[in-house]
Amino acid sequence: MEKPITLFDRRFELYIPEPVIHTAISDVAARINRDYAEAVRPLLLVTLSGAIVFAGELFRQLEGPFEIAFVKVSSYGAETTSSGRVAVEVPPTAAVEGRDVIIAEDVVDTGHTIHALHAMLAEQGARSIRVATLLLKPDPYYRQPERPEPLPVDYAALEAEPRFIVGYGMDYDGLGRNLGALYAVCDEERHD
Ligand code: PRP
């Protein structure tokens, strides 16, 4: 059993080891390569900052004329979790009109971010929009009361319980993004 790690005041235990993550990302890359074999200049649109580690590894395994671009959004307001208000801080760094776009996320939790991005990309005339994520938390995602029809999460490398998770791009107040495995906050500090 690996020893827990500490970031600031919290302890985290190993949740998903590194080899499992690499295999899961390679599986997603293989599926995307099959699905986009005929696509013309598809675009991997990476949400800053958390998705950069996953997206870098994924992008390296994509074949064909894929391009990469970035976007940054943030949730805001006191009722962020219930209202899902999302602000665009950095608009997409490449034009999306007429393009087949894959949004790359580190985690889909409530799903507010991907729904906001999807609406924005549709408005900007993207030809198709899919979602690839390192982690999907099905419990919060499929239990959003105001959202009867969740978007499909087309490529979820891994699924996770509704715990607070760091590593592989995900942070706790800025720390932990460079951890090579995924770590979940220890039981007594569960974040449901
Ligand atoms: C995280 C993550 C997703 C979003 C998912 O971003 O990178 O973009 O939350 O949550 P949701 O499904 O509930 O919308 P965060 O705002 O923590 O920024 P970061 O990527 O810079 O850490």
Side-chain angles (χ1 to χ4, degrees):
M1 188 78 176
E2 278 210 16
K3 275 174 52 179
I5 60 164
T6 301
L7 298 174
F8 298 114
D9 54 336
R10 285 184 155 184
R11 289 188 317 128
F12 295 82
E13 61 194 10
L14 181 65
Y15 188 62
I16 300 179
E18 203 166 340
V20 176
I21 299 170
H22 292 314
T23 301
I25 295 174
S26 295
D27 289 348
V28 165
R31 290 177 54 207
I32 292 175
N33 284 332
R34 278 198 300 275
D35 293 349
Y36 287 76
E38 308 296 328
V40 179
R41 287 183 65 208
L43 184 67
L44 188 71
L45 184 64
V46 183
T47 60
L48 298 171
S49 301
I52 58 165
V53 181
F54 162 63
E57 184 167 340
L58 175 66
F59 187 66
R60 183 65 189 82
Q61 298 178 63
L62 296 181
E63 297 162 356
F66 258 95
E67 289 187 32
I68 194 166
F70 302 89
V71 66
K72 185 165 178 62
V73 298
S74 61
S75 302
Y76 68 96
E79 295 148 28
T80 294
T81 318
S82 55
S83 68
R85 292 179 295 178
V86 171
V88 178
E89 289 187 19
V90 178
T93 59
V96 302
E97 188 175 359
R99 311 280 299 271
D100 294 307
V101 180
I102 301 177
I103 299 166
E105 269 288 17
D106 49 340
V107 59
V108 173
D109 192 327
T110 63
H112 294 324
T113 304
I114 60 166
H115 280 77
L117 279 173
H118 192 283
M120 182 186 74
L121 296 173
E123 170 81 26
Q124 293 179 2
R127 181 170 176 268
S128 69
I129 305 161
R130 288 186 176 174
V131 176
T133 185
L134 175 64
L135 269 191
L136 168 65
K137 294 181 177 174
D139 208 41
Y141 185 61
Y142 293 111
R143 283 180 195 220
Q144 292 303 308
E146 324 113 38
R147 192 196 307 138
E149 294 268 347
L151 286 171
V153 179
D154 306 278
Y155 308 102
L158 298 161
E159 293 193 351
E161 303 160 273
R163 297 175 69 183
F164 186 62
I165 293 171
V166 297
Y168 231 84
M170 285 174 277
D171 71 311
Y172 172 40
D173 204 10
L175 292 188
R177 293 196 200 272
N178 55 339
L179 293 165
L182 293 172
Y183 293 81
V185 76
C186 286
D187 277 349
E188 68 270 23
E189 298 159 314
R190 270 183 189 250
H191 180 269
D192 295 319

